[in-house]
Amino acid sequence: MIRSVIVAGAGQTAAVAARTLRRRGFEGDVLLIGEEHVAPYQRPPLSKEYLAGEESGGDLCLLSEEWCGDNDVELRLGTRVAAVRGAERAVELADGAVLGADALLVATGGRPRRLPGVEGERVRYLRTVADADRLRADIRPGAHVIVVGAGFIGSEVASTALAGGARVTVVERADHPLAHVLGARMGAACAALQRASGVDLRTGETVREYAESGGHAAVLTGSGRVIEGDVVVVGVGMVPNVEPLAGSGIELDDGVVVDEYCRTSAPGVYAAGDVARHYHPLFDQRIRVEHFDHASGHGMAAAKNILGQRVPYTSPHWFWSDQFGRNLQYAGHAREWDEIVVRGRVEEFDFVAFYLDKGVLRAAFGMDRGGEVAVARSLVAARAVPDPAVLRDEDTDLTELL
Ligand SMILES: Cc1cc2nc3c(=O)[nH]c(=O)nc-3n(C[C@H](O)[C@H](O)[C@H](O)COP(=O)(O)OP(=O)(O)OC[C@H]3O[C@@H](n4cnc5c(N)ncnc54)[C@H](O)[C@@H]3O)c2cc1C
């Protein structure tokens, strides 16, 4: 019988887990321990509306202190979990205090990967609301913003900076933005979108050296070009926050390894969200994803499993990104495929691309095609083998394939 739950981390996964525990009638103790000084909040607007100054901090809130008070959830902010003691089902705080519970949930998310040698007053990373506040002050008409990394966050920052009147140069090591997720063909479509929107996108370029002088930043690229700007935003990926589990004996592999029930290798210890590498029955592999919808679904699944409901987490995965006036959406998970079938017009940034592997639909990526991506998500979940001609034909209704 579970009478107490401690959650390490107080981000989105933790917030959804706490809500689920209470909504499912759990009456025991719930304690969320978060390193940040802010109650759980949404991060997606940090590179979009919030960065643009269109939303306030209050708009971001996911779990208010008031809700926690009303629902008897203890929120301990500004507190770091130094160690997770798996065998004891306990956490050790930075001040040495040890707190035990019947179940632990590790929901510590991640932090931006640092770029060695790129350090200084003009360098920005983006993960927290404090990071966004700092970066917001740099985005102004006439400023030159250099973005290193054309992943989702780098691309969104580029888009917001451009809309804010800044000049934007993006330096990307790969030949195309987002190629590691979308592949070369769709990555090229994203490159075209960036360039058509006014970004000076330099692909196949690395950062060889970084320097600052007189309040300016200068990047020396691998090909020998010097790019001078006012600020450098580094968006080169995320590192999962697994350090508190070092030495715990809990299995780690670029994240905390969990099964489809969010269970780690230590009984009573669960992990979910950005930090967790979860076994996914649909894709028959362990994957770690860093997306809003997953953080919510996985946090919910962890809470249900803590309460003893055996619910496998089988979401086919879905995420969105808003950039350059377009809504990008992706459903499923594909790192290998043998065919991409396109419906719509790539050159007009109005299409959906279906990733097929041996005929099975594994993923779909679209620009301004949210409805079709939603249908594709259901098809991925059903391991559908759709007729490519039907996928391609704009006159067909994709829901007929369901
Ligand atoms: C700028 C930005 C834009 C994004 N945009 C999108 C988007 O458009 N679409 C989308 O699908 N997803 C987006 N995401 C991803 C999404 O926000 C994340 O997937 C989600 O926040 C993950 O939630 P989480 O709770 O697992 O981790 P986090 O949100 O990282 O929360 C973890 C919390 O744990 C705390 N913590 C870490 N270590 C400790 C410790 N030892 N002790 C105590 N506390 C600790 C951290 O400080 C943090 O507050 C975006 C993310 C960022 C940063």
Side-chain angles (χ1 to χ4, degrees), residues 12-13 35-36 43 48 81 108-109 127 274 291-292 320:
Q12 188 189 336
T13 302
E35 196 173 13
E36 289 183 72
R43 297 184 200 277
K48 312 177 188 70
V81 171
T108 47
R127 181 79 192 176
D274 279 14
H291 300 301
F292 182 91
W320 86 97

Side-chain angles (χ1 to χ4, degrees), residues 144-272:
H144 183 194
V145 176
I146 303 170
V147 178
V148 179
F152 286 103
I153 289 178
S155 300
E156 289 181 357
V157 168
S159 168
T160 303
L162 207 63
R167 186 156 71 85
V168 178
T169 302
V170 175
V171 178
E172 165 58 49
R173 185 175 60 179
D175 290 338
H176 306 285
L178 302 163
H180 63 294
V181 179
L182 304 177
R185 189 169 161 204
M186 291 303 129
C190 294
L193 175 62
Q194 297 211 6
R195 291 190 171 116
S197 305
V199 169
D200 180 3
L201 172 65
R202 315 275 182 98
T203 51
E205 274 282 33
T206 54
V207 174
R208 193 197 295 174
E209 274 175 37
Y210 175 73
E212 291 183 1
S213 72
H216 290 282
V219 168
L220 173 64
T221 70
S223 69
R225 290 195 184 93
V226 175
I227 305 169
E228 293 182 344
D230 297 291
V231 68
V232 172
V233 187
V234 182
V236 293
M238 193 208 85
V239 179
N241 290 323
V242 297
E243 287 71 14
L245 289 94
S248 68
I250 293 172
E251 190 184 354
L252 304 176
D253 174 17
D254 180 36
V256 184
V257 173
V258 295
D259 64 9
E260 63 267 50
Y261 303 104
C262 309
R263 297 180 297 195
T264 70
S265 57
V269 183
Y270 298 75

Side-chain angles (χ1 to χ4, degrees), residues 326-339:
R326 304 281 164 179
N327 174 252
L328 279 50
Q329 293 194 21
Y330 183 97
H333 179 83
R335 291 295 176 268
E336 288 174 6
W337 53 85
D338 41 38
E339 189 180 4

